[in-house]
Amino acid sequence: MTRHRLILGASALLGLLATQASAATPLIDKVVFGDAASEAAHAVDASASERVEGGLGLAARRLPPSEPGARFSGDLKFRLAVDPAIQNYASIRLWGGDVNDGKLTLFCEGRQVGYRHLGDVEILDIGTQAPPFAGRFTYRTFPLPITLTRGKKALDCAIRASGPYAVYTQQFESFQKPMSQASRPVYALYVHADPFLDSGDQAGAAPPLAVAPSAGPEVLDDLKVRVNREIDRKLAQAGPLNVLEVQFLARAAGLSWTRAHANPAVARKVIESGDAFYARFLADPKSVYVDASRTNADWDAMGPFGKALRLLQADVAPYLDTPVAGGQGAPTRREAYARMLDAGLGYIQTHRRLYTNQSMIVDLGIYWSNEGLRSLDSPLARPEPAMRRFFYESMGLAPWTGSLDEAGKPTYSSAAADTGSFRSANDYGLFTKAGLSKELGFVGSYGEILDWATSIYQATAATPGGQGDPVLRDQLLKMARARMAFRYPGIDAEGARTMLLEAPIGWRDPVYPGATTYVQKSGWDNTPFNVAVATRDPQLMAIARQTLDDGQYYAVLRDRLKDKNQRTTIGLLDAYDEWLAVKAWPKSDVKLPMTPGQPDFVFADPEDGVVAIKNGDEVLYASLYWRANCGVNRLARFHYQTPSVDRIATIAGRVDFEASGKTCVRRATPHISAGSIPIVAYPGEAPAALEGEVLPVAKGPPEARYKDQDNPYAGRGYYYEATYGPYLIAMNASADKTMNVTLPKAEKGRVDLVSRSKIAAGVGSLSLAPGQTAVIYAPSR
């Protein structure tokens, strides 16, 4: 078996010649925009830009639209010195108080540096949705492709601004939005040999904190008014409701403060709608999974209707043994609804999806469809344990077995086109042992699936609000606790204390910063306290209290209420009762682990290649397995915050892996480095600077299938290592290999932050057992 150890490689386009970096000066070049002398020295053509005074009163340049309504700015052109013999890194300096969702892209020698969407090397700046680091500067670092710099002492470059992006579209006009404002100001661009940039420039300081966000408990009154108004509207509506509206009424009927509670009109409306669903099913059997009234109806089919029938079982019982609307000779509702639920269940059992959140949604559809059948006492109902086993797979408690074939046998992913372009192994699990989901490495916002996981746990409870399957509860708590490490302290747009979801190291995170998140991220279908109240876990309930104490629960609900989407109304149904439960919970000293004043810690998950570190007042996140969709890319991603500086960096890393003999070649498109996201072609676009780079493909399991996009095996190693600033991270992801780690020298001493032990001065290496991670802190580096 051939094994490769990849650290550096002159044959690769990135080169990654980190061992030669020490021979170069720490700073190869620096252009300060807005400074006349620096601009003259770098042949800056600033005609397309505006000189502005920005953070700390410093000069900068921003790029306005080339004309009103344009999608792009003109080009800010300049000449940049590089070292012709080594790997060059570039860093951009930006103000951390900016809120601007426009983009900045670097072009050098006629090629685009970085990819527009979810690339392993990103464009210059992806914009901000909130102030990421108020009062201070933030830096973004990336490797300059060595094919651009080899043998050259300077590059002709340009920065171009554009409007924000949309996703899930292949059309340029809908993906690339117009610029509604000028770009965020650009302060400086640096070229350096060491991937860690300590610029020495003025840093700034965090502003004094506001007492709390301006929102308060009044948002709960607004929520109740919205829900009751919607209930009145649905009950008064002429004609049937859609499937999600039926589920909304059924869920609202269980809440004592709503006008759906103990209201006989709810059951009548549900039955009227159920009859209409059946009539539509007779006319078009595909309507159970093709439904324009909701997104991805083929994921849950008639599951929401099955859930409504179970929640309202006693209320709808008097209607079930009379004929469905349609006259004499029609089947009873019990029979008709069962046929419809069974048809939808049969479809989604044969169309399960592999990515974790999608698997959960489909399996909830399967379970609730069957629960609807069980509430009808239908002979078509499957045994409940047979349906619950799907939950065990979606929650990572059992290998994912895929869709069922016509004989009801599992197919894993071999027969399902909608599970991705690869064939997973027969023992493939959707979660790591540490409790993180695997899409394909660590995901930030996309990994916030505690809402669906909580829904799975709650579905197994005999009554709403009761205790569900204890095995599912234990797994749910493992997931929740793993996610707690990925919330770090920040300052919101009103200047108040908050905790932010870690996004920069997430594989599927195209935004910065992440949303305010404590216990869980609030989205379309859930509340911020959902998992805490469902489990009544003391740690999660204490963190929910932290949300209240910081005033952020009200701020999150205020912002959610701005979204008038029907799913948002449904998702916030439980917010009031959950608020009452958390408000009554005793206060404690338990906080999120990254909260200032909490003990230092290291969370490591070798299966996802991810680390979270709190070291005094420093916060460090690292993804050593970074967006390697189609092959081993030798890149690591860091997000490092001190009280004065925020750094996001993509750098060279070491990856040891078992070779498959296959390769993946980077395409010319500068849209995405690899993956199944549709490619959006831009008019007259420049080719990707990394076009043609050949990435080796790691060996997968014997039964796995490989295509060069979104593959969970192709870019994985069994050992990862990367150094950034004073931190060396070594991660042994193998099952049976012990790895040797060469330790850095340090004048001030070295500490292994995992074991919290000092490393003696004469020790030059350590052994790392399978599954272990070492984080060596060497302050002199």
Side-chain angles (χ1 to χ4, degrees):
M1 181 180 295
T2 302
R3 289 190 170 96
H4 286 252
R5 172 181 162 184
L6 281 190
I7 310 175
L8 317 165
S11 61
L13 293 189
L14 280 177
L16 306 180
L17 303 178
T19 56
Q20 299 182 27
S22 59
T25 56
L27 202 62
I28 297 168
D29 199 6
K30 174 185 177 182
V31 53
V32 180
F33 294 106
D35 179 85
S38 181
E39 290 189 340
H42 291 86
V44 172
D45 178 353
S47 57
S49 70
E50 301 169 340
R51 187 181 185 278
V52 296
E53 185 177 289
L56 306 184
L58 299 178
R61 288 201 175 273
R62 68 182 183 189
L63 291 157
S66 59
E67 59 185 21
R71 289 179 165 82
F72 303 100
S73 71
D75 288 353
L76 174 60
K77 300 176 183 179
F78 52 96
R79 192 159 177 79
L80 203 60
V82 295
D83 189 311
I86 69 167
Q87 174 64 59
N88 293 257
Y89 286 90
S91 296
I92 186 174
R93 188 186 193 201
L94 300 163
W95 181 241
D98 289 338
V99 180
N100 188 317
D101 61 357
K103 315 295 180 181
L104 293 169
T105 305
L106 177 67
F107 299 86
C108 291
E109 302 297 316
R111 289 182 170 269
Q112 180 175 307
V113 179
Y115 297 92
R116 282 189 289 266
H117 187 54
L118 300 180
D120 53 357
V121 178
E122 291 182 331
I123 59 172
L124 195 58
D125 178 48
I126 63 171
T128 59
Q129 282 65 44
F133 204 57
R136 294 149 291 175
F137 284 98
T138 181
Y139 297 81
R140 299 184 74 95
T141 298
F142 54 93
L144 285 170
I146 204 166
T147 48
L148 294 181
T149 62
R150 184 186 291 123
K152 295 181 180 179
K153 295 184 177 181
L155 300 177
D156 289 320
C157 299
I159 296 174
R160 184 181 306 154
S162 68
Y165 299 154
V167 294
Y168 304 119
T169 175
Q170 291 178 268
Q171 303 302 317
F172 164 76
E173 291 78 10
S174 53
F175 178 86
Q176 178 61 72
K177 303 295 184 182
M179 293 180 67
S180 60
Q181 57 182 323
S183 73
R184 61 191 299 198
V186 179
Y187 292 80
L189 192 70
Y190 310 78
V191 180
H192 44 104
D194 190 319
F196 180 79
L197 174 67
D198 186 358
S199 70
D201 290 331
Q202 189 176 358
L209 290 171
V211 175
S214 58
E218 71 281 352
V219 298
L220 276 304
D221 296 327
D222 297 338
L223 170 65
K224 292 199 289 184
V225 168
R226 171 170 168 169
V227 167
N228 280 316
R229 184 187 300 122
E230 189 69 8
I231 291 168
D232 291 342
R233 184 181 296 119
K234 297 310 176 189
L235 291 177
Q237 179 177 312
L241 306 178
N242 65 41
V243 174
L244 291 183
E245 291 168 338
V246 164
Q247 181 186 234
F248 165 68
L249 286 183
R251 285 185 56 190
L255 302 173
S256 61
W257 56 268
T258 74
R259 288 202 279 272
H261 186 66
N263 187 341
V266 170
R268 292 196 295 269
K269 200 67 178 176
V270 169
I271 292 297
E272 175 192 357
S273 302
D275 288 359
F277 299 157
Y278 181 68
R280 187 181 63 180
F281 169 67
L282 289 179
D284 179 11
K286 292 182 179 180
S287 65
V288 294
Y289 58 86
V290 178
D291 182 356
S293 71
R294 54 195 164 120
T295 304
N296 301 127
D298 59 321
W299 292 8
D300 56 4
M302 296 304 293
F305 183 59
K307 182 176 182 177
L309 291 177
R310 196 183 93 168
L311 291 175
L312 298 172
Q313 188 169 1
D315 297 322
V316 300
Y319 299 92
L320 296 179
D321 293 314
T322 55
V324 69
Q328 189 173 4
T332 66
R333 292 188 172 94
R334 191 182 302 275
E335 297 167 329
Y337 294 174
R339 292 177 195 170
M340 182 171 57
L341 286 165
D342 182 65
L345 174 55
Y347 177 83
I348 51 179
Q349 277 187 318
T350 60
H351 291 77
R352 294 180 72 207
R353 302 183 71 87
L354 182 58
Y355 275 11
T356 313
N357 67 325
Q358 298 177 20
S359 180
M360 288 179 168
I361 296 168
V362 172
D363 291 348
L364 279 162
I366 289 171
Y367 192 84
W368 282 119
S369 295
N370 195 59
E371 286 302 289
L373 290 169
R374 284 176 12 102
S375 73
L376 294 170
D377 293 322
S378 171
L380 298 173
R382 285 70 160 169
E384 191 274 345
M387 301 296 99
R388 190 178 297 200
R389 78 168 181 84
F390 291 117
F391 283 167
Y392 277 57
E393 294 182 16
S394 285
M395 296 282 280
L397 292 164
W400 191 81
T401 61
S403 301
L404 302 183
D405 63 17
E406 293 182 358
K409 301 297 183 182
T411 63
Y412 300 90
S413 61
S414 61
D418 58 359
T419 56
S421 61
F422 57 87
R423 163 73 157 87
S424 63
N426 292 353
D427 63 351
Y428 187 77
L430 298 187
F431 283 84
T432 67
K433 292 177 183 177
L436 296 177
S437 58
K438 298 190 294 190
E439 296 103 352
L440 302 169
F442 172 78
V443 279
S445 183
Y446 197 84
E448 287 293 317
I449 50 180
L450 293 176
D451 50 352
W452 297 111
T454 303
S455 295
I456 284 174
Y457 166 67
Q458 291 176 313
T460 62
T463 57
Q467 294 184 353
D469 184 331
V471 177
L472 290 173
R473 182 181 186 274
D474 288 346
Q475 180 70 351
L476 173 60
L477 290 177
K478 177 190 281 189
M479 295 176 192
R481 288 167 183 155
R483 300 299 302 185
M484 295 305 102
F486 296 93
R487 293 92 166 89
Y488 65 94
I491 301 173
D492 71 11
E494 296 184 273
R497 175 188 297 108
T498 191
M499 299 297 288
L500 299 173
L501 171 64
E502 171 56 19
I505 66 161
W507 277 49
R508 299 188 62 167
D509 291 76
V511 300
Y512 183 60
T516 286
T517 306
Y518 286 72
V519 183
Q520 68 188 90
K521 179 176 177 284
S522 183
W524 275 348
D525 302 292
N526 72 293
T527 70
F529 293 162
N530 186 208
V531 64
V533 175
T535 61
R536 302 294 170 124
D537 175 71
Q539 180 187 7
L540 300 185
M541 290 295 284
I543 294 169
R545 276 302 312 237
Q546 181 182 357
T547 321
L548 278 185
D549 294 343
D550 286 353
Q552 291 296 343
Y553 182 70
Y554 308 117
V556 169
L557 286 190
R558 174 197 61 198
D559 294 341
R560 293 301 304 142
L561 287 169
K562 294 175 183 177
D563 182 354
K564 304 305 179 184
N565 187 287
Q566 179 187 77
R567 281 178 65 180
T568 297
T569 306
I570 298 172
L572 291 174
L573 273 171
D574 295 320
Y576 179 73
D577 286 351
E578 290 172 351
W579 171 68
L580 293 177
V582 172
K583 194 170 64 152
W585 194 263
K587 290 189 176 184
S588 77
D589 294 330
V590 176
K591 308 287 184 186
L592 281 166
M594 288 292 186
T595 304
Q598 293 297 296
D600 292 347
F601 75 95
V602 173
F603 172 92
D605 189 341
E607 288 181 80
D608 264 359
V610 68
V611 180
I613 302 163
K614 182 179 185 295
N615 185 26
D617 55 11
E618 297 184 356
V619 173
L620 178 66
Y621 292 106
S623 176
L624 304 190
Y625 168 49
W626 171 245
R627 290 185 181 171
N629 302 62
C630 77
V632 179
N633 61 11
R634 306 167 300 281
L635 294 174
R637 176 78 154 190
F638 286 82
H639 182 204
Y640 180 27
Q641 278 194 355
T642 70
S644 59
V645 180
D646 173 71
R647 298 177 176 93
I648 299 169
T650 303
I651 72 168
R654 168 180 165 180
V655 181
D656 294 8
F657 69 101
E658 296 183 0
S660 67
K662 299 181 175 69
T663 58
C664 171
V665 181
R666 291 187 188 265
R667 295 167 287 185
T669 174
H671 185 66
I672 185 168
S673 54
S676 57
I677 301 294
I679 294 173
V680 179
Y682 274 42
E685 68 182 356
L690 288 171
E691 176 189 359
E693 182 183 13
V694 179
L695 303 179
V697 173
K699 187 175 182 179
E703 68 270 30
R705 179 180 72 223
Y706 173 75
K707 284 184 67 176
D708 62 348
Q709 57 179 25
D710 287 350
N711 190 286
Y713 312 110
R716 285 188 183 273
Y718 59 78
Y719 177 75
Y720 305 97
E721 183 179 304
T723 297
Y724 188 65
Y727 295 91
L728 164 67
I729 302 175
M731 182 172 281
N732 189 350
S734 74
D736 55 7
K737 300 176 181 66
T738 297
M739 303 300 298
N740 188 66
V741 183
T742 301
L743 298 177
K745 297 179 180 179
E747 297 174 2
K748 299 181 181 179
R750 300 163 298 177
V751 179
D752 183 347
L753 298 182
V754 176
S755 64
R756 313 305 304 175
S757 59
K758 293 183 179 180
I759 300 172
V763 176
S765 65
L766 61 81
S767 292
L768 206 59
Q772 277 192 325
T773 297
V775 178
I776 309 303
Y777 180 61
S780 65
R781 291 182 63 79

